[in-house]
Amino acid sequence: MKLNKFHKIGSVALLILLSIELNAQVIERKRPAEWDKLVYGGRFMDRFCPIPPIGELTYDTWGAKNVAPRYVDNGIEDSEWSYWGGNILRDTNGIYHLFVCRWREDSPKGHAEWPNSIVVHAKSINSLGPYKVDNIIGKGHNPEAFKLKDGRYVIYVIGGNYISQGIKGPWVKGKFDFNPRDRRILEGLSNLSFAQREDGSYIMVNRGGGIWFSKDGLSTYYQVTDKSVYPNVEGRFEDPVIWRDNVQYNMIVNDWLGRIAYYLRSKDGIHWVVDPGEAYSPGIAKYKDGTIEDWFKFERIKILQDEYGRAIQANFAVIDTLKSEDKPNDKHSSKNICIPLNKGVLMTILDKNKIDEKTKFIRVKIMAEEDFDPQSIIDVSTLRFGASEQVNFGKGSQVVKTEQIGKDLILTFDGKGNGITDNDFAAKLIGRTKEGDLLFGYARLPWLDYLEPALSSCLPVLRKNDNAYEFEMEVQNFGQVASKPSTIKIEQVSDNPMEIASGKIPILQPFEAITIKLKSKKELSQKSRVKVSIFSKGQLAEILEGELKSENIFH
């Protein structure tokens, strides 16, 4: 398609803006005023713990003054290679496997050599490092490794993947298949992140914040969202990471120009809420004595999880200066670092009845763990429980009674001020230990279903059949359970919107697809814009809007 002068001007302006941003690498973002009212534990960034000693502190290494001295044995680094991205998997023998990419530090392009990076497999007996390269996987950038339900391993890289029967390889290069399903592919299919669902299927988020599902992690990924799930704020987003724990889906996405990241939560992986406060920003790499490794950029966050899915460690690609200032054979470079995270407590709401503003008391069980004794560690007077939007700001219910059941602790909260509404899918606890350390956790709401169907439609195709007009569209269930009887409606989008077709959707099993045929109540023009809505009892409506498709019936 030939661009007119206005498109050309817009393209030039965009290139100039991108050039300015790439050279600047930093734009100061103004924080919302409400973030100043957050209590400790109200933002994800509060979960970062001090980095323990790994080897010896040393000045004898590359890096600007702001990152020395440091523990060079944390993560992976050396003077020969620049490292970037990468995540960790733990095997059944307790060995930690880091899949990370690298390029030679003395490459003529410096940091700009990253498109030619290679993926390597490094191992350690400690999650924090040091990691030593064991073998080379192959060419690729921004790797993320995950294990399929059938035991195979997959390493995603931009533009493809590597697959192996075991974590040691050998690895076979391949590609994913993507079906956008009449939806925009936001920001392209790069910097992907994956999480396994309860049934072994996979959810994926791409760089632009689109949500996709695959039946087994390798078969086709289908897009189900039409808009970005990221925060509706000013930012240049990338580096999403997604993971599922025993309560909810979690996501962090980074505004790379603003050097500020955001934390999101979801019950189903499709509909997300953004928690207030920074998920991370420069300054999080610190030691117990207060010393900070002041890396210029923290990017490509990846999460190490425990057996409950809780985030116990974050890995970052870090660089000590502007990327453009990282030249060959100089003192600047990049590495992968590991920062431990406060994993939170395991807790369960014991009440089965729905909690609301009329609830008088709420009973919560805090489970004991091998390294956590709730009966002796918790400062009960500091605890607040309820909706996260209340608890994050120091509000919520307070403890009125405690009980000891075995090694566990039963807390009874005054229901007043819990703040839980129909919009909430998890309750939050914030408090302190008797030593003043952060204590937090999430619990599912017992009256909600967490495994739900997820019906989703493509745009309708208009066909002429015996002088009558008929719509055909594919509907598929991307949930983990069978769908319920549902209705589908097509509306014409105009100054005077009106329904032009409606019908029923039969019960569909997970990932089952069906073609729905509906008779049109109105003759439409070729450029008609329509909205398709699916309604299921107890669930949010699934809505897709776009231009009507047709099979050459217009002249």
Side-chain angles (χ1 to χ4, degrees), residues 391-436:
V391 175
N392 288 334
F393 293 93
K395 303 176 184 178
S397 300
Q398 301 183 44
V399 176
V400 295
K401 181 182 176 182
T402 63
E403 305 170 61
Q404 296 180 2
I405 305 296
K407 294 183 179 181
D408 299 333
L409 181 64
I410 308 297
L411 302 170
T412 300
F413 290 88
D414 183 347
K416 183 179 179 181
N418 67 78
I420 295 174
T421 69
D422 291 341
N423 295 323
D424 293 296
F425 53 85
K428 187 175 183 179
L429 177 78
I430 288 182
R432 299 262 190 165
T433 67
K434 291 179 180 178
E435 294 182 353

Side-chain angles (χ1 to χ4, degrees), residues 334-350:
S334 56
K335 66 171 289 185
N336 185 287
I337 67 167
C338 311
I339 307 178
L341 292 168
N342 184 324
K343 64 185 179 183
V345 303
L346 295 172
M347 65 180 190
T348 304
I349 298 174
L350 299 180

Side-chain angles (χ1 to χ4, degrees), residues 124-171:
S124 176
I125 59 173
N126 186 332
S127 69
L128 296 170
Y131 285 87
K132 301 298 181 184
V133 174
D134 186 68
N135 58 78
I136 295 173
I137 307 296
K139 187 175 180 179
H141 194 64
N142 288 349
E144 181 173 293
F146 55 92
K147 187 178 181 180
L148 300 175
K149 186 178 181 179
D150 65 12
R152 288 181 294 170
Y153 288 84
V154 179
I155 303 173
Y156 157 77
V157 294
I158 293 178
N161 60 40
Y162 292 93
I163 305 171
S164 174
Q165 295 294 329
I167 202 166
K168 296 180 180 179
W171 300 90

Side-chain angles (χ1 to χ4, degrees), residues 348-375:
T348 304
I349 298 174
L350 299 180
D351 308 280
K352 302 303 180 183
N353 294 329
K354 185 176 179 180
I355 297 172
D356 56 27
E357 72 278 1
K358 297 179 181 179
T359 301
K360 292 184 177 180
F361 299 103
I362 306 170
R363 297 179 73 240
V364 178
K365 180 171 73 172
I366 308 295
M367 271 80 80
E369 301 183 64
E370 185 176 345
D371 58 350
F372 177 70
D373 178 8
Q375 297 177 5

Side-chain angles (χ1 to χ4, degrees), residues 89-97 123 147 153 167-168:
L89 299 178
R90 184 179 185 269
D91 68 21
T92 54
N93 296 317
I95 303 299
Y96 295 90
H97 301 260
K123 297 193 296 186
K147 187 178 181 180
Y153 288 84
I167 202 166
K168 296 180 180 179

Side-chain angles (χ1 to χ4, degrees), residues 35-306:
W35 288 11
D36 294 334
K37 300 177 183 178
L38 288 166
V39 298
Y40 184 55
R43 67 193 80 208
F44 189 94
M45 191 164 66
D46 297 333
R47 305 182 198 179
F48 287 92
C49 300
I51 299 173
I54 302 292
E56 300 291 333
L57 276 174
T58 178
Y59 283 97
D60 187 20
T61 184
W62 57 266
K65 293 180 180 180
N66 47 296
V67 296
R70 68 175 181 271
Y71 294 110
V72 295
D73 285 339
N74 176 280
I76 187 169
E77 69 168 275
D78 57 57
S79 59
E80 186 177 356
W81 298 93
S82 294
Y83 292 88
W84 202 251
N87 72 307
I88 297 169
L89 299 178
R90 184 179 185 269
D91 68 21
T92 54
N93 296 317
I95 303 299
Y96 295 90
H97 301 260
L98 171 65
F99 297 91
V100 64
C101 66
R102 69 182 187 182
W103 57 90
R104 289 196 60 84
E105 192 281 329
D106 61 2
S107 298
K109 295 181 180 179
H111 188 88
E113 181 68 13
W114 68 261
N116 297 315
S117 58
I118 57 173
V119 179
V120 296
H121 173 195
K123 297 193 296 186
S124 176
I125 59 173
N126 186 332
S127 69
L128 296 170
Y131 285 87
K132 301 298 181 184
V133 174
D134 186 68
N135 58 78
I136 295 173
I137 307 296
K139 187 175 180 179
H141 194 64
N142 288 349
E144 181 173 293
F146 55 92
K147 187 178 181 180
L148 300 175
K149 186 178 181 179
D150 65 12
R152 288 181 294 170
Y153 288 84
V154 179
I155 303 173
Y156 157 77
V157 294
I158 293 178
N161 60 40
Y162 292 93
I163 305 171
S164 174
Q165 295 294 329
I167 202 166
K168 296 180 180 179
W171 300 90
V172 178
K173 188 73 180 290
K175 284 192 174 184
F176 290 110
D177 180 50
F178 303 99
N179 184 347
R181 303 179 61 249
D182 298 331
R183 288 150 172 86
R184 296 172 299 153
I185 300 179
L186 305 164
E187 294 284 334
L189 287 164
S190 64
N191 296 358
L192 312 182
S193 184
F194 306 78
Q196 190 180 77
R197 302 198 292 178
E198 287 90 342
D199 65 352
S201 61
Y202 267 81
I203 182 174
M204 180 270 282
V205 57
N206 70 307
R207 175 174 178 160
I211 299 298
W212 307 63
F213 290 105
S214 167
K215 188 174 183 178
D216 55 21
L218 271 184
S219 59
T220 301
Y221 277 85
Y222 299 94
Q223 189 173 17
V224 297
T225 55
D226 191 41
K227 298 179 177 63
S228 174
V229 300
Y230 294 160
N232 186 23
V233 298
E234 182 183 15
R236 291 292 305 279
F237 293 115
E238 65 171 16
D239 301 352
V241 62
I242 189 172
W243 73 99
R244 180 183 62 84
D245 59 32
N246 61 322
V247 176
Q248 59 197 348
Y249 291 90
N250 306 265
M251 186 192 302
I252 291 177
V253 63
N254 180 36
D255 169 12
W256 64 272
L257 275 175
R259 296 194 303 171
I260 175 176
Y262 294 82
Y263 172 56
L264 301 84
R265 301 180 297 111
S266 174
K267 184 181 77 167
D268 57 11
I270 301 172
H271 307 94
W272 294 81
V273 296
V274 182
D275 275 10
E278 299 92 340
Y280 65 85
S281 64
I284 55 174
K286 57 187 177 183
Y287 308 147
K288 287 185 177 181
D289 64 2
T291 301
I292 294 177
E293 288 183 14
D294 192 16
W295 296 98
F296 180 75
K297 282 254 183 175
F298 288 78
E299 296 188 359
R300 305 291 184 262
I301 182 174
K302 299 297 178 184
I303 297 294
L304 176 64
Q305 300 172 253
D306 70 2

Side-chain angles (χ1 to χ4, degrees), residues 16-27 236 256-257:
I16 293 174
L17 176 61
L18 288 174
S19 176
I20 293 172
E21 290 178 344
L22 289 172
N23 288 330
Q25 289 283 303
V26 175
I27 291 178
R236 291 292 305 279
W256 64 272
L257 275 175

